[in-house]
């Protein structure tokens, strides 16, 4: 189980990542199934047809509901949800950021109040690893603090020092869990997370520290949370030379098609974001001509496919007028078809990026696509 760098075009990387649940061709986009399902009525079996390689699930939410011990009793997350490819579980660390009003951070870990019923919860590095081991995901993320931007330098220094101490504890606990006889996935991988807000020198310092731990992969966290796109690109450029060349690189929670192309250009291999499914559920669809808001009146009598360059289930079978009607009538099918399209679009985008890297034409692809994919039509 390892990442293999197949070729470079500039800083952009074409590779493959072998795991116990299959090989991922990179760059790749992970489809986000927070509670072991993609919002919008998409099943694990649908994802195969939508070209999904990796699904991402949420440790915190599954711990609360239905409970990681229940999923363990039922054979782990793959069996529970019927998805047989790689699964990455986040650590609960993002909830340290997103549930700021409901938590207290201490050296031992984080004390939460459940967003569901107010129940008191404690999660530290060891608890996060134990929950993710119960889930038996392919890849476990280290427990960290996602720092809100902008942050003060003093706060950032203290936070990343604690995140490094937590990472050491995560690695130790993961090694222990993988050695147990009753562990479902004894080959569970561990990714560390680089933090440091928008301070380039702190980002570099932290990347150097965590690279020494020789983990299975490295993520860039704490971006797209209050910073601009240019600030995000600047951080990636600053730390890329210090990221291990022979390990997979993951940019967490990003982003738009343009963000993804620009991050691949800067050396990133793996992405996730709720944007394609969330936007789809509100009628905002990504196409090869730009971003289409299907709720607009101009589509009421439009009998063309959503995107005439797309062969997803929605575009093969239905018109813009029909999909708009479903949204206006609040039919559940509207969300299902729209989410199918956006996920298919994202996974096809990654396919096109890989093809361009294989052919040595990625920079040409970038120059052609960036001006188009970000515009509203």
């Amino acid at each position: 189980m390892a990442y293999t760098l197949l070729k470079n075009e500039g800083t952009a990387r074409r590779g493959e990542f072998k795991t116990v649940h299959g090989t991922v061709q990179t760059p790749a986009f992970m489809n986000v199934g927070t509670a072991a399902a993609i919002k919008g009525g998409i099943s694990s079996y649908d994802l195969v047809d939508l070209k999904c390689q990796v699904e991402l699930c949420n440790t915190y939410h599954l711990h609360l509901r239905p409970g990681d011990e229940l999923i363990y009793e039922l054979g782990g997350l793959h069996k529970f949800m019927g998805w047989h490819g790689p699964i990455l579980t986040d650590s609960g660390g993002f909830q340290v950021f997103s549930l700021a009003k409901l938590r207290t951070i201490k050296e031992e870990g984080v004390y939460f109040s459940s967003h569901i019923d107010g129940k008191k919860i404690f999660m530290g590095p060891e608890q996060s690893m134990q929950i993710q081991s119960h889930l038996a995901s392919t890849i476990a993320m280290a427990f960290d603090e996602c720092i809100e931007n902008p942050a003060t330098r003093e706060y950032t220094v203290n936070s990343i020092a604690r995140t490094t101490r937590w990472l050491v504890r995560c690695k130790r606990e993961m090694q222990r869990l993988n050695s147990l006889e009753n562990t479902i996935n004894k080959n569970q991988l561990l990714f560390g997370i680089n933090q440091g807000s928008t301070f380039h020198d702190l980002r570099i310092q932290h990347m150097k520290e965590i690279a020494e731990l020789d983990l299975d992969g490295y993520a860039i966290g704490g971006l797209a949370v209050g910073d601009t796109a240019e600030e995000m690109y600047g951080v990636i450029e600053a730390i890329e030379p210090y990221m291990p060349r022979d390990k997979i690189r993951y940019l967490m929670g990003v982003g738009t098609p343009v963000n993804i192309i620009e991050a691949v250009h800067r050396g990133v291999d793996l992405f996730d974001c709720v944007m394609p499914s969330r936007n789809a559920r509100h009628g905002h669809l990504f196409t090869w001509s730009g971003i289409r808001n299907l709720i607009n009146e101009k589509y009421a009598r439009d009998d063309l496919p959503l995107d005439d360059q797309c062969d997803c289930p929605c575009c093969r079978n239905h018109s813009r007028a029909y999909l708009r009607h479903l949204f206006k009538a609040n039919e559940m099918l509207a969300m299902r078809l729209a989410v199918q399209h956006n996920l298919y679009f994202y996974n096809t985008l990654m396919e096109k990026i890989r093809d361009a890297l294989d052919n040595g034409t990625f920079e040409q692809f970038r120059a052609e696509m960036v001006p188009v994919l970000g515009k509203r039509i």
Side-chain angles (χ1 to χ4, degrees):
M1 295 184 293
Y3 172 80
T4 302
L5 177 62
L6 300 176
K7 66 179 297 186
N8 281 99
E9 184 175 334
T11 313
R13 292 149 51 96
R14 173 73 173 94
E16 60 180 28
F17 186 53
K18 292 183 179 178
T19 78
V20 71
H21 295 117
T23 298
V24 181
Q25 298 299 320
T26 65
F29 181 79
M30 298 186 288
N31 297 200
V32 180
T34 299
I38 306 278
K39 285 184 171 63
I42 306 298
S43 73
S44 295
Y45 316 106
D46 291 323
L47 289 179
V48 176
D49 297 329
L50 299 176
K51 305 182 184 180
C52 175
Q53 293 194 81
V54 186
E55 187 160 2
L56 183 149
C57 297
N58 187 291
T59 295
Y60 165 80
H61 288 283
L62 291 173
H63 174 56
L64 294 188
R65 204 168 40 189
D68 56 284
E69 292 186 358
L70 184 149
I71 292 175
Y72 172 78
E73 290 171 15
L74 294 174
L77 201 49
H78 287 87
K79 185 178 178 183
F80 185 62
M81 64 193 293
W83 172 254
H84 303 295
I87 296 175
L88 182 145
T89 44
D90 62 12
S91 65
F94 183 73
Q95 279 64 45
V96 177
F97 161 76
S98 64
L99 301 178
K101 295 179 180 177
L102 301 173
R103 52 76 169 158
T104 303
I105 303 174
K106 296 194 174 182
E107 182 63 30
E108 63 268 27
V110 181
Y111 294 85
F112 291 95
S113 293
S114 166
H115 71 287
I116 298 171
D117 57 12
K119 178 183 175 182
K120 299 298 182 184
I121 302 163
F122 171 75
M123 190 181 295
E126 291 79 13
Q127 288 74 22
S128 176
M129 295 301 100
Q130 290 158 18
I131 294 165
Q132 293 183 78
S133 181
H134 275 160
L135 298 175
S137 58
T138 314
I139 302 160
M141 295 303 299
F143 191 67
D144 69 327
E145 181 190 359
C146 178
I147 306 167
E148 184 176 8
N149 294 321
T152 66
R153 186 177 179 88
E154 181 183 8
Y155 186 91
T156 302
V157 167
N158 292 331
S159 176
I160 60 176
R162 181 173 54 233
T163 285
T164 302
R165 294 192 296 272
W166 283 356
L167 179 55
V168 171
R169 289 164 57 187
C170 285
K171 182 179 179 181
R172 185 188 311 125
E173 181 65 4
M174 177 62 72
Q175 290 172 336
R176 185 187 74 82
L177 291 164
N178 282 353
S179 71
L180 299 179
E181 186 178 344
N182 59 352
T183 295
I184 296 172
N185 179 14
K186 297 179 176 61
N187 296 298
Q188 193 168 36
L189 305 173
L190 177 63
F191 285 10
I193 305 174
N194 171 260
Q195 293 287 358
S197 186
T198 54
F199 301 101
H200 289 192
D201 60 331
L202 297 183
R203 284 277 182 177
I204 292 169
Q205 172 195 324
H206 192 233
M207 190 66 245
K208 287 179 176 178
E209 289 174 1
I210 64 177
E212 291 178 3
L213 293 175
D214 191 27
L215 304 170
D216 299 301
Y218 290 90
I220 307 169
L223 294 176
V225 287
D227 47 297
T228 67
E230 291 309 315
E231 286 176 321
M232 174 174 69
Y233 300 150
V235 167
I236 300 170
E237 289 172 2
I239 63 174
E240 189 278 332
Y242 303 94
M243 301 189 83
R245 183 177 169 82
D246 61 342
K247 299 294 176 74
I248 195 165
R249 303 165 175 182
Y250 164 31
L251 180 58
M252 303 181 75
V254 176
T256 68
V258 170
N259 291 157
I260 288 172
I261 292 171
E262 292 293 353
V264 168
H265 166 71
R266 291 165 172 82
V268 176
D269 306 306
L270 203 57
F271 302 87
D272 83 282
C273 191
V274 297
M275 181 176 287
S277 55
R278 177 181 288 170
N279 284 22
R281 298 195 306 274
H282 294 93
H284 293 264
L285 288 303
F286 296 97
T287 78
W288 296 105
S289 302
I291 303 166
R292 198 183 300 282
N293 180 0
L294 213 64
I295 309 300
N296 288 348
E297 179 68 25
K298 66 181 179 180
Y299 298 118
R301 291 175 174 80
D302 192 337
D303 65 355
L304 292 173
L306 178 60
D307 185 348
D308 58 11
Q309 299 180 59
C310 178
D311 62 349
C312 78
C314 179
C315 292
R316 285 200 308 267
N317 298 296
H318 302 295
S319 68
R320 299 169 189 172
Y322 179 62
L323 195 53
R324 180 182 184 275
H325 155 68
L326 294 178
F327 273 108
K328 299 299 282 188
N330 292 318
E331 287 288 346
M332 292 172 62
L333 183 59
M335 290 195 291
R336 174 170 162 78
L337 291 174
V339 172
Q340 281 185 324
H341 169 79
N342 271 3
L343 293 184
Y344 191 92
F345 176 87
Y346 265 63
N347 292 328
T348 302
L349 171 65
M350 305 314 297
E351 224 175 39
K352 288 178 181 289
I353 288 171
R354 292 193 297 272
D355 287 346
L357 287 167
D358 286 338
N359 297 330
T361 57
F362 173 71
E363 285 307 314
Q364 179 184 338
F365 177 84
R366 174 181 173 232
E368 292 172 355
M369 288 291 103
V370 165
V372 173
L373 297 185
K375 70 178 182 180
R376 298 187 180 276
I377 55 175

